[in-house]
Amino acid sequence: NLGLVIGTDVQAYNANNAVTNAVQSFSVAQRGTITALTDGTTVTPDFAAANNFSLTIGGNRTLANPTNLTAGQSGVIVITQDGTGSRTLAYGSYWKFASGTAPTLTNSPGQQDVFTIFTKDGGTTYYAFTSGQNL
């Protein structure tokens, strides 16, 4: 007798629990929260905190190389122009865009751009695609 209480000290077996070392099918939707990034001169998303982010930019900003991405991880960053609009965004050196050209943000106040991000190596290359500009 170890003196352990199931449900308090140890988790009871449950066939419905998700695990990280097996292929699984889910019968209901799985979703992540959207984490708000703090606006500042340089913004660094932390992919250990979430996969999906929102950011309202209040000036010309740099979206730095994200931290804590692992190979195969993906996510979304929704960039919203503040009430002034016409804000610009520069990107860290690991960001890669289609045709090698960084996108120009929608510049109207309150407008949004959606960035989908994926890394295959987990550290030095982040493939990003813009979608839904002018939402």
Side-chain angles (χ1 to χ4, degrees):
N1 186 350
L2 298 175
L4 300 175
V5 177
I6 294 176
T8 301
D9 300 309
V10 294
Q11 181 174 341
Y13 172 77
N14 182 330
N16 293 320
N17 286 348
V19 295
T20 60
N21 62 347
V23 175
Q24 298 172 315
S25 296
F26 296 96
S27 59
V28 297
Q30 305 300 301
R31 59 189 77 59
T33 60
I34 299 173
T35 299
L37 295 168
T38 301
D39 186 36
T41 304
T42 301
V43 179
T44 306
D46 179 358
F47 274 77
N51 288 345
N52 303 307
F53 300 91
S54 64
L55 172 64
T56 299
I57 54 176
N60 297 334
R61 305 293 189 235
T62 297
L63 188 59
N65 297 327
T67 59
N68 297 309
L69 270 164
T70 58
Q73 191 170 7
S74 61
V76 171
I77 303 173
V78 178
I79 308 291
T80 304
Q81 292 279 351
D82 68 0
T84 300
S86 298
R87 309 300 191 179
T88 62
L89 196 58
Y91 306 90
S93 60
Y94 294 162
W95 288 90
K96 306 296 179 207
F97 295 98
S99 302
T101 304
T104 301
L105 295 179
T106 305
N107 61 14
S108 299
Q111 291 295 299
Q112 297 177 319
D113 294 277
V114 179
F115 290 81
T116 303
I117 181 174
F118 172 79
T119 183
K120 68 177 184 177
D121 63 15
T124 59
T125 306
Y126 310 125
Y127 300 96
F129 306 91
T130 58
S131 59
Q133 287 187 332
N134 302 310
L135 294 177

